[in-house]
Amino acid sequence: MEIPVINLEGLNGDAAERSQTMARLHEACTDWGFFWVDSHGVDAALMEEVKRFVYGHYDDQLEDKFYASCLAKDLQAAVDPGPEDSNKPVSDQVDWESTYFIRHNPNNNVADFPEILPPTREVLDTYIAQMVSLAERLAECMSLNLGLDGARIKDTFAPPFVGTKFAMYPACPRPDLVWGLRAHTDAGGIILLLQDDVVGGLEFFRGDREWVPVGPTKGSRIFVNIGDQVEVMSGRAYRSVLHRVAAGSEGWRLSVATFYNPGTEAVVAAPATALQLYPGAYRFGDYLNY
């Protein structure tokens, strides 16, 4: 079965079309916890411009540093290992990725990256504004599908934390010894992923029974997954799903993940019907520190 693709244009249609689109979204959230969206309102040309920035920034600023790292040197040495090292992981505490994180809200920290020039910063600001609009639209639909007020998720998160993880997964000389990114769930709310349209590697653990590969992006789709806080607010009707990235031996995989999360002072709570599954109301900041 293929990963669901939700065409959000249906939300603008007549009552029947909107109802059908909402039902498809609800099914994707309950049965999968991850899905693709089309007609999402993020400009396709802008998405390509962000991709070009990430590729160029990696080439100019990060590639040499990455291959000079201990991890890269150790894996290169493992290409011709001695007998005692033939099947030994280099480390289970590292990931084969080159990454950095830009915080957009609150307190934008792009000034920490002086090599990102003002024109590119403007591109990123425009892109993030469109991604936040998409996240808020999905938050409204999820809230309504859960029988809540349409503003419930947005109001709970307010003011939201918004940040983007920019990552490149270079070709790995020993992909059998290391993961591109180890398995984890996302602590926050709604995650929007702009990813590679050629190289795959992302995998999600569906239904606690099988790893599902997420292939390269088709067209201008955006990949969405649910974080821990939406699972809590839904009473586990929606699931935050384990996912990982396999290291690959060919090509570079691009990943631009934008996180729409509660602010650190936001108070998150499960519905009364699910209090046996989760603790009482808590600050998101405390959850992160737990």
Side-chain angles (χ1 to χ4, degrees), residues 211-230:
W211 286 102
V212 177
V214 179
T217 298
K218 295 180 180 179
S220 59
R221 290 176 180 172
I222 290 174
F223 189 79
V224 182
N225 70 278
I226 290 168
D228 296 352
Q229 306 316 304
V230 172

Side-chain angles (χ1 to χ4, degrees), residues 230-282:
V230 172
E231 176 179 308
V232 171
M233 292 184 67
S234 74
R236 219 178 186 188
Y238 294 173
R239 299 295 295 273
S240 178
V241 182
L242 273 173
H243 51 286
R244 66 191 183 187
V245 176
S249 59
E250 297 181 5
W252 300 343
R253 178 180 177 271
L254 172 148
S255 170
V256 182
T258 298
F259 297 83
Y260 178 77
N261 291 350
T264 56
E265 297 300 320
V267 176
V268 179
T273 54
L275 290 180
Q276 72 277 13
L277 297 174
Y278 302 101
Y282 57 86

Side-chain angles (χ1 to χ4, degrees), residues 83-103:
E84 69 281 2
D85 295 325
S86 58
N87 293 304
K88 181 173 135 182
V90 171
S91 174
D92 60 359
Q93 300 300 317
V94 293
D95 301 307
W96 183 261
E97 63 174 358
S98 175
T99 182
Y100 53 100
F101 194 92
I102 294 180
R103 184 177 62 251

Side-chain angles (χ1 to χ4, degrees), residues 158-201:
F161 174 94
V162 180
T164 299
K165 176 185 175 182
F166 298 83
M168 290 290 291
Y169 297 88
C172 181
R174 287 295 303 271
D176 55 316
L177 297 184
V178 68
W179 286 99
L181 181 62
R182 288 159 289 163
H184 65 287
T185 63
D186 290 321
I190 297 172
I191 298 85
L192 306 175
L193 178 64
L194 172 64
Q195 69 149 16
D196 207 283
D197 53 10
V198 176
V199 179

Side-chain angles (χ1 to χ4, degrees), residues 48-181:
E48 291 304 313
E49 197 165 354
V50 170
K51 287 182 183 180
R52 285 194 295 273
F53 155 69
V54 177
Y55 282 124
H57 187 261
Y58 174 76
D59 287 346
D60 295 340
Q61 303 290 330
L62 302 175
E63 184 176 21
D64 289 345
K65 294 177 183 178
F66 180 78
Y67 282 108
S69 68
C70 292
L71 172 61
K73 291 178 179 178
D74 288 347
L75 280 180
Q76 189 58 50
V79 171
D80 297 309
E84 69 281 2
D85 295 325
S86 58
N87 293 304
K88 181 173 135 182
V90 171
S91 174
D92 60 359
Q93 300 300 317
V94 293
D95 301 307
W96 183 261
E97 63 174 358
S98 175
T99 182
Y100 53 100
F101 194 92
I102 294 180
R103 184 177 62 251
H104 312 292
N105 183 62
N107 305 320
N108 191 305
N109 73 335
V110 72
D112 295 342
F113 303 87
E115 72 277 10
I116 301 179
L117 300 178
T120 301
R121 295 182 187 187
E122 292 179 10
V123 168
L124 293 176
D125 287 345
T126 303
Y127 171 75
I128 293 304
Q130 294 185 15
M131 293 292 268
V132 169
S133 293
L134 171 58
E136 290 176 344
R137 193 178 196 193
L138 290 171
E140 178 185 14
C141 293
M142 291 177 188
S143 296
L144 292 170
N145 274 336
L146 290 167
L148 306 172
D149 179 270
R152 177 68 63 84
I153 292 176
K154 179 181 177 181
D155 287 350
T156 297
F157 285 15
F161 174 94
V162 180
T164 299
K165 176 185 175 182
F166 298 83
M168 290 290 291
Y169 297 88
C172 181
R174 287 295 303 271
D176 55 316
L177 297 184
V178 68
W179 286 99
L181 181 62

